[in-house]
Amino acid sequence: MRLTFTLILSLCFSLSFSQKNSKTNVILIGTYHFNNPGFDEGKVTERSILTPDNQNSLERITNKLLKTYKPSKVFVEYDYAKRTRLNDMYLLYKSGKPFYQKDTLKDDYYKRFYAENEIFQFGFRLANKAKNDVIYAMDYDKVPIRFNLIKSKISENSTFQFSDYQKKIASLETFMNDCLGKNSLEEVLKCLNSAEQYRLNKGLYISFLNKLNKDPDFFGSELVSSWYKRNLIMYGNIQNQVTSSDKNIVIILGAGHAAIMEEFIKADEQFNLIRINEIL
């Protein structure tokens, strides 16, 4: 009887250990947008990813990721519906050919986007070093989020003023710009993926914008839920491209998305969250 009981305990432990270790490690990396398009509510200062120091940092960071958690899949903030186009560019990159034609681009935004954005500078570089045949898109930006109505909605609310909202944005801007002022890109990423950055980013939505609620439209909760909806769709695009054979994956996306995505990863039984701060 004692032997049988011991065998059962041993089997249960083995199954538990196996299930724990069958989880996919997810290395979550929130970044600033390297090409600095200025689309976000909070405006950040310029930090060129093309400087020799930042290029050297990217080499060190990707080498560390490769050595510690060689990813089978790298996810980037690129439109999921256009994933074929993304991989057409990636295959050119892998073969050492130009993946975009600079001379044909008339818009300065696109010139900077293809030359500097983290999708290509970070994602392509890491996936190529990991010898991945494919890079994975996950973005979805078709959820309407009515930031343009915030000022008018605040004017309808007697609890606080538009200046209160501006102060919230300013505190987030200050923190982000302090991060961007760090000496190395490693320190920048540690700061952008800190608990404080995540708290400030989520706090803007939960502790402030969600209170802009007035019957019948409940604008604040509608706006916050739309932001979460976009991120949930992005997360679903990740979930549906991961298989049980994936031991390690990397997600590279804007720091604001990372603040939300962290919650989803921690609650997902198939994933084990690895913070970039633990690697750098």
Side-chain angles (χ1 to χ4, degrees):
M1 177 66 75
R2 178 174 294 177
L3 179 60
T4 303
F5 182 68
T6 303
L7 286 171
I8 291 172
L9 280 178
S10 177
L11 180 61
C12 289
F13 177 78
S14 297
L15 286 172
S16 174
F17 184 79
S18 173
Q19 287 171 356
K20 182 179 179 181
N21 282 274
S22 67
K23 287 186 175 185
T24 298
N25 291 319
V26 181
I27 298 89
L28 178 67
I29 308 174
T31 72
Y32 69 100
H33 291 304
F34 292 171
N35 57 312
N36 196 13
F39 293 157
D40 295 329
E41 283 288 283
K43 307 305 176 188
V44 297
T45 55
E46 189 74 33
R47 183 188 177 104
S48 174
I49 198 64
L50 301 179
T51 65
D53 283 348
N54 283 329
Q55 287 293 302
N56 289 336
S57 284
L58 273 178
E59 284 296 303
R60 290 194 301 269
I61 292 165
T62 48
N63 286 340
K64 282 183 179 180
L65 285 165
L66 199 66
K67 182 179 179 180
T68 314
Y69 293 100
K70 182 181 178 182
S72 58
K73 290 174 180 171
V74 176
F75 290 85
V76 291
E77 195 178 331
Y78 192 90
D79 189 350
Y80 177 75
K82 298 177 181 177
R83 59 195 179 278
T84 301
R85 168 61 179 151
L86 176 68
N87 275 283
D88 287 343
M89 291 189 287
Y90 177 60
L91 289 176
L92 289 171
Y93 178 93
K94 275 178 65 67
S95 63
K97 299 175 183 177
F99 64 90
Y100 71 102
Q101 300 300 320
K102 182 178 179 180
D103 294 341
T104 65
L105 298 175
K106 306 299 182 185
D107 193 313
D108 287 341
Y109 165 78
Y110 287 108
K111 289 179 182 178
R112 289 201 64 183
F113 176 73
Y114 289 114
E116 301 176 42
N117 190 272
E118 62 277 5
I119 292 168
F120 315 108
Q121 284 286 336
F122 199 168
F124 275 21
R125 187 182 312 228
L126 177 59
N128 187 42
K129 284 185 176 184
K131 302 187 185 310
N132 296 163
D133 293 328
V134 177
I135 193 162
Y136 292 84
M138 46 90 172
D139 195 17
Y140 182 86
D141 64 355
K142 296 175 179 61
V143 179
I145 306 175
R146 304 301 302 275
F147 288 108
N148 60 312
L149 296 181
I150 288 175
K151 188 171 185 178
S152 64
K153 291 297 181 180
I154 287 177
S155 68
E156 298 172 10
N157 191 307
S158 60
T159 307
F160 34 71
Q161 307 296 318
F162 186 65
S163 59
D164 298 323
Y165 174 67
Q166 291 176 308
K167 288 175 184 176
K168 284 281 186 182
I169 292 293
S171 64
L172 183 57
E173 281 182 359
T174 298
F175 187 91
M176 298 290 280
N177 286 325
D178 284 346
C179 290
L180 287 171
K182 303 293 184 186
N183 289 331
S184 69
L185 188 61
E186 286 94 333
E187 292 302 315
V188 171
L189 292 181
K190 286 181 182 179
C191 187
L192 291 179
N193 290 277
S194 64
E196 180 64 7
Q197 194 284 127
Y198 287 0
R199 185 190 68 79
L200 285 171
N201 219 303
K202 288 185 289 189
L204 174 65
Y205 293 92
I206 301 302
S207 67
F208 186 87
L209 292 173
N210 192 58
K211 294 190 290 187
L212 289 176
N213 265 8
K214 194 173 182 180
D215 197 353
D217 68 346
F218 298 103
F219 171 80
S221 293
E222 184 66 30
L223 184 145
V224 173
S225 62
S226 294
W227 174 239
Y228 269 81
K229 180 179 179 179
R230 179 186 173 188
N231 282 278
L232 281 166
I233 292 171
M234 291 167 66
Y235 188 66
N237 288 336
I238 294 170
Q239 289 175 305
N240 289 320
Q241 295 181 91
V242 175
T243 68
S244 58
S245 63
D246 290 313
K247 188 175 180 181
N248 304 305
I249 67 169
V250 170
I251 301 172
I252 302 169
L253 74 177
H257 292 293
I260 305 293
M261 204 74 74
E262 180 204 37
E263 296 181 25
F264 305 155
I265 297 167
K266 286 164 66 176
D268 194 330
E269 62 184 14
Q270 69 176 320
F271 292 146
N272 177 43
L273 176 66
I274 304 293
R275 302 178 191 279
I276 188 62
N277 302 32
E278 301 170 27
I279 300 171
L280 301 180

